[in-house]
Amino acid sequence: MQFKIAEHIVEVMSTNPTVDIISLVPSLKPFVYNNVGEDTEPQLSIVIDNEMEIATDYREIGDFDTGNGHTKVEKKDATGEYQFTIRNIEEKEVCWLKTNADYSDCRCRLQGNSMLQSYGINSVLMLCYAFATASKQTLLIHASCVKKGEYAYAFIAKSGTGKSTQVSNWLKHIPGCELLNDDNPIVRVIDGKAYIFGSPWSGKTPCYRNRKAYLGAITRIERAQENKVRKLAPVEAFTSLLPSCSTMKWESKLYNDVMDTISKIVETSCIYTLSCLPDRESAIVCHNGISKS
């Protein structure tokens, strides 16, 4: 099957014809792409192959905490290929993934019951999409995002700081707002303009909207005893946005692609800090300070 996610074509197949991709990842349903034969060259191809052999001749790069478990990363230096071992929060191995050097051609092996397989393939999709599209001025960011009119506004913060609370206050108190995504929207720079898209990944909130809007602003939330919004200078804006972007620091080309895209976003969009309380007034102060409409 093919899917169109932030206007990139993603193909997901299985060597087992009975596997139902939508049943494994229901959040993909709004992104199904049926225009076969019309610009259908995928940016990313993923094959589920539960007979895939696990390689033993790769060099281990590291074992990283993803927030929902750990992922071991290994590399074959001669070819640039990668192998990932994905474990869930209970440290159970649920998936193995092999990719080519630019992540455009991927193969994975799932393990366990349907719930674990769903977790595994969803993790593969998210990881491979972020890395395969990084060279296309595309960023998967950890943010909650609200849409108002033709613009959307992304809120970034450390977990538990209040980005979803701020979006909730916008939805309650700012007329004309709707939730675009609550955890992982996608930002793209197209022809010099920054856009933000819904995605199949939205954390604990089931909000999987195949929608597009101009990027109105990105705002970092920090707790304070008063509500105040401040526009960031370019260098501060860059360092504020970088930690919210999916990347791999040990892969220099990928990391440089991400930094280049962040630079373009900083050039074309406004980045703010909102110091706030979790109240109605904070949404009004923020809206008045950053809104394009």
Side-chain angles (χ1 to χ4, degrees), residues 203-233:
K204 297 177 181 178
T205 304
C207 182
Y208 312 112
R209 294 184 175 175
N210 190 1
R211 304 282 296 277
K212 173 185 179 182
Y214 291 108
L215 177 62
I218 298 175
T219 303
R220 178 168 291 279
I221 305 294
E222 58 182 31
R223 292 177 178 173
Q225 296 304 310
E226 61 176 338
N227 298 312
K228 181 172 62 176
V229 64
R230 178 174 65 92
K231 184 178 178 180
L232 302 182

Side-chain angles (χ1 to χ4, degrees), residues 59-113:
R59 173 177 61 89
E60 183 172 340
I61 292 174
D63 201 318
F64 302 93
D65 186 351
T66 63
N68 294 309
H70 286 81
T71 296
K72 182 170 73 173
V73 185
E74 300 169 287
K75 185 176 184 180
K76 183 178 285 187
D77 292 319
T79 62
E81 297 170 294
Y82 282 96
Q83 179 171 269
F84 297 80
T85 302
I86 297 172
R87 307 193 300 279
N88 66 5
I89 196 73
E90 298 173 347
E91 290 299 316
K92 183 177 180 61
E93 293 180 343
V94 297
C95 180
W96 293 267
L97 165 68
K98 289 183 180 180
T99 80
N100 62 348
D102 65 3
Y103 304 93
S104 61
D105 188 8
C106 307
R107 187 170 291 262
C108 67
R109 173 178 163 182
L110 307 178
Q111 178 169 285
N113 59 27

